[in-house]
Amino acid sequence: MITVENLTKTFPSQGGPVTALAGVTLDVRAGTVCGVVGPSGAGKSTLARCVALLERPDSGSIRVDGTDLVGLDGSRLRAARRQIGVVPQGDSLLRQRTAAGNVALPLESAGMPAPQRRSRVAELLDLVGLTDKAGNYPDQLSGGQRQRVAVARALAANPSVLLADEPTSALDPETTGSVLTVLDRARAELGVTVLVVTHDMAVVRRICDDVAVLEHGRVVEHGRVLDLVSDANSRTAATLLPEVDQSAGVAGNHDRVADVVLVGFAAVGALLPEAASRFDVQLALLGGGLTRLGETPVARFRVGLTGERADSALEWISDTGAVVVRTPKGPQGVAA
């Protein structure tokens, strides 16, 4: 759906050009939510603005549904931009317009007749859960409600791509949840491909199928969230999985100590007890915990195994699909 190849973008400054994007390559699968994360200044917002052609890249290509947007201009560029809805960072609603009026704005600009426009606005306000706020002005809405109206406005023209730049910035956890639910519904019910720029990994944990990590204008990690958390060395795993006390079990009396990552209902619920029973070992949970990535339960535990077949138990757990990193009586772990 979205393919970015070797994208570069620099900005002038008194000290010389500042590189915001340095050869960024990224694929976003159709119908998914992809989170673009990284520290402040990593190039996240610049990437989103380039994908929306609000900024022209210095070089590289941006293809949406196979069309290279960088080479377009005039009417062809305007038509392509209509396929990309943008939820800008911060409060972007017009204060003199009601919630319904803000959602209707792009439809008015497109010349949609009033009856169809009213119907479309009603559909979108229902999607974002604000039907009862249609006549309210922005100052009569909470921050989360204003963001949901902004999402509805961005979806008004039936785009195939939705770009959301820090959509939960400065919102409390409950309000953040309502905004993320709306973005997820846009993907699930409208089939929109969503690119979310965020500094908050909780956004990735809640709604993202894929994630791209940017640092200094470069993609340093990219892939499916559930694949990346299964990689013991990934930054995504280090950030999203429950923490493990690195000293847990190192000085204990267990024959083997290992960190185990389990993905999915069956693995989280049954794999460790089955290993203990199958190989006649005692298995103790020494640390870690459970979390949820989207609808999928994921666990990272440090486990201690005692028994003659402890090695065989760890090998079986690994062969069954879990990630196992052995932790001997020392500072290094070895993947099973």
Side-chain angles (χ1 to χ4, degrees):
M1 168 59 73
I2 305 173
T3 302
V4 176
E5 290 185 348
N6 297 319
L7 207 67
T8 64
K9 178 66 180 179
T10 59
F11 294 99
S13 72
Q14 291 183 345
V18 174
T19 300
L21 301 175
V24 168
T25 294
L26 179 67
D27 283 312
V28 181
R29 297 177 293 133
T32 62
V33 179
C34 179
V36 178
V37 302
S40 178
K44 305 185 300 294
S45 293
T46 300
L47 175 60
R49 289 181 61 81
C50 284
V51 171
L53 265 295
L54 300 174
E55 292 279 359
R56 283 279 185 178
D58 298 333
S59 62
S61 64
I62 304 165
R63 294 194 298 275
V64 175
D65 285 341
T67 300
D68 189 352
L69 304 185
V70 176
L72 301 180
D73 56 19
S75 60
R76 296 176 64 202
L77 177 59
R78 289 192 293 273
R81 278 177 171 165
R82 283 195 289 272
Q83 292 303 307
I84 303 173
V86 178
V87 183
Q89 187 172 353
D91 188 352
S92 61
L93 300 185
L94 298 180
R95 285 302 189 270
Q96 69 273 27
R97 279 180 169 253
T98 63
N102 271 279
V103 177
L105 185 60
L107 303 176
E108 293 173 7
S109 299
M112 179 179 285
Q116 291 95 316
R117 189 169 66 239
R118 286 192 292 269
S119 176
R120 179 63 177 161
V121 169
E123 291 174 3
L124 290 166
L125 288 176
D126 179 63
L127 178 76
V128 301
L130 292 174
T131 298
D132 60 335
K133 304 295 183 182
N136 287 40
Y137 288 90
D139 289 341
Q140 298 171 310
L141 302 173
S142 68
Q145 289 170 341
R146 289 195 291 270
Q147 278 295 78
R148 286 150 63 191
V149 172
V151 173
R153 182 181 61 188
L155 293 169
N158 279 316
S160 58
V161 173
L162 181 67
L163 302 180
D165 189 359
E166 297 285 4
T168 62
S169 178
L171 300 180
D172 61 68
E174 182 177 353
T175 304
T176 291
S178 69
V179 174
L180 296 182
T181 296
V182 166
L183 293 175
D184 198 35
R185 289 188 68 185
R187 178 268 304 270
E189 299 181 23
L190 303 180
V192 176
T193 301
V194 183
L195 188 66
V196 181
V197 170
T198 182
H199 68 279
D200 185 0
M201 291 300 286
V203 174
V204 177
R205 180 179 287 109
R206 172 75 181 268
I207 65 168
C208 290
D209 305 291
D210 299 353
V211 64
V213 182
L214 265 62
E215 284 188 4
H216 307 297
R218 300 180 183 275
V219 176
V220 296
E221 188 168 279
H222 174 44
R224 301 189 183 197
V225 173
L226 291 178
D227 290 341
L228 290 172
V229 298
S230 297
D231 179 353
N233 298 315
S234 79
R235 301 172 187 233
T236 302
T239 305
L240 291 182
L241 293 180
E243 293 185 6
V244 172
D245 182 353
Q246 293 305 306
S247 66
V250 172
N253 296 320
H254 307 287
D255 293 318
R256 295 291 182 268
V257 176
D259 291 340
V260 180
V261 176
L262 306 166
V263 178
F265 288 94
V268 169
L271 198 58
L272 296 183
E274 183 175 349
S277 175
R278 182 184 291 257
F279 294 94
D280 192 25
V281 297
Q282 292 182 339
L283 190 150
L285 297 182
L286 306 176
L290 292 164
T291 187
R292 187 177 289 269
L293 301 179
E295 296 301 316
T296 303
V298 178
R300 176 164 61 183
F301 294 121
R302 176 157 291 187
V303 297
L305 293 88
T306 305
E308 293 182 0
R309 303 180 69 192
D311 284 323
S312 297
L314 288 176
E315 289 172 5
W316 181 82
I317 292 170
S318 178
D319 291 342
T320 307
V323 179
V324 177
V325 179
R326 300 175 189 243
T327 306
K329 310 292 187 182
Q332 299 298 322
V334 180

